[in-house]
Amino acid sequence: MDEKRLSRRASLASLGGLVAGAAGLAGLRATEDAGAGPAGVASGLISCVLAPEQTEGPFYVDDAAVRRNVTEGRPGTPLTLRLTVVNASNCKPIRNAAVEIWHCDAGGAYSATGAEADERFLRGIQRTDAKGLAIFRTLYPGWYRGRTVHIHTMVHIGGNVVHTGQLYFPESVTDAVYKRTPYSARPNRDTRNAADSIYRNGGRRSMLKLARSGTAYIGSITVGVQRS
Ligand code: FE
């Protein structure tokens, strides 16, 4: 898997957004005629849909740093996150949104809690560029009891939180990653996507597209938000 293929897909997605925006209803109808419609949304072909609001959970802290690389040397499988923020009402990219992520490490621990109270690993903020894209260098998350694998995200525009959600991973990829160290030290994760009560409440629309890059992964998603 390479960056070239990813960027071609990204270009197609933004071109689709522009066309739909310019053509209005006619464009939408054309999309449905092409067999995309609700099936397209379900399959992930149409990505400009409102991302589901999901709980921020108990581990949010409001002092995350603006930085791309949030790993702080923690062990784990490298994960590049490419999060594109678009306006869900017209599919246009939103520039200069502050995208925030936080998640647990390979051992299932969050920074800023318990024994790690003074740590801030795997937390950070990036601004979107003109294409609505924010990029993070992080690690494939581990798991903790009662939850499927996830990354928390929050999008701020002009000081307002416009989206709070969670990002998810295909089970087949998680299974492959967890066979390797350091994840293999905790072999019996207790909750997969299908059994996770938060995932089941719309989480399928927040599934990352995962691409392998050597031993690392690139996770991409377009997040549709309401602007105000
Ligand atoms: Fe969590």
Side-chain angles (χ1 to χ4, degrees):
M1 190 61 214
D2 55 49
E3 292 272 358
K4 205 186 296 171
R5 195 167 137 202
L6 275 180
S7 53
R8 187 182 308 146
R9 185 191 293 155
S11 310
L12 286 172
S14 53
L15 181 62
L18 285 174
V19 169
L25 269 182
L28 287 175
R29 211 169 294 127
T31 303
E32 285 178 11
D33 287 348
V41 171
S43 71
L45 219 107
I46 298 175
S47 50
C48 178
V49 293
L50 190 63
E53 293 292 311
Q54 297 200 311
T55 176
E56 70 184 47
F59 302 123
Y60 178 68
V61 291
D62 64 3
D63 62 357
V66 176
R67 57 182 182 175
R68 174 161 291 171
N69 187 332
V70 300
T71 56
E72 295 191 15
R74 307 297 283 192
T77 295
L79 173 68
T80 297
L81 273 182
R82 298 173 61 89
L83 310 183
T84 300
V85 180
V86 300
N87 186 331
S89 61
N90 61 13
C91 293
K92 290 187 174 164
I94 297 178
R95 182 175 176 272
N96 210 30
V99 179
E100 183 166 11
I101 61 160
W102 68 103
H103 63 88
C104 67
D105 69 6
Y110 277 91
S111 62
T113 66
E116 322 272 20
D118 295 332
E119 305 279 347
R120 290 296 182 272
F121 56 80
L122 307 180
R123 296 174 184 271
I125 297 173
Q126 284 289 278
R127 292 272 180 186
T128 56
D129 66 12
K131 292 177 177 168
L133 177 65
I135 299 174
F136 291 93
R137 308 277 180 219
T138 188
L139 302 171
Y140 207 99
W143 62 276
Y144 57 96
R145 193 174 296 276
R147 286 304 318 279
T148 191
V149 186
H150 62 280
I151 289 178
H152 295 270
T153 186
M154 194 178 274
V155 180
H156 312 248
I157 296 176
N160 297 317
V161 175
V162 297
H163 175 66
T164 302
Q166 301 190 19
L167 307 175
Y168 298 97
F169 296 79
E171 294 292 3
S172 57
V173 180
T174 298
D175 284 341
V177 170
Y178 281 15
K179 281 188 183 124
R180 303 197 295 263
T181 57
Y183 307 90
S184 55
R186 298 175 68 239
N188 299 313
R189 63 185 172 116
D190 66 356
T191 308
R192 299 170 80 88
N193 290 336
D196 183 292
S197 59
I198 300 175
Y199 174 87
R200 284 161 67 167
N201 192 11
R204 196 174 48 162
R205 281 184 284 140
S206 296
M207 181 69 73
L208 288 163
K209 287 189 178 70
L210 268 279
R212 251 184 95 163
S213 175
T215 57
Y217 287 87
I218 301 164
S220 308
I221 192 167
T222 296
V223 180
V225 304
Q226 304 278 24
R227 255 212 105 114
S228 53

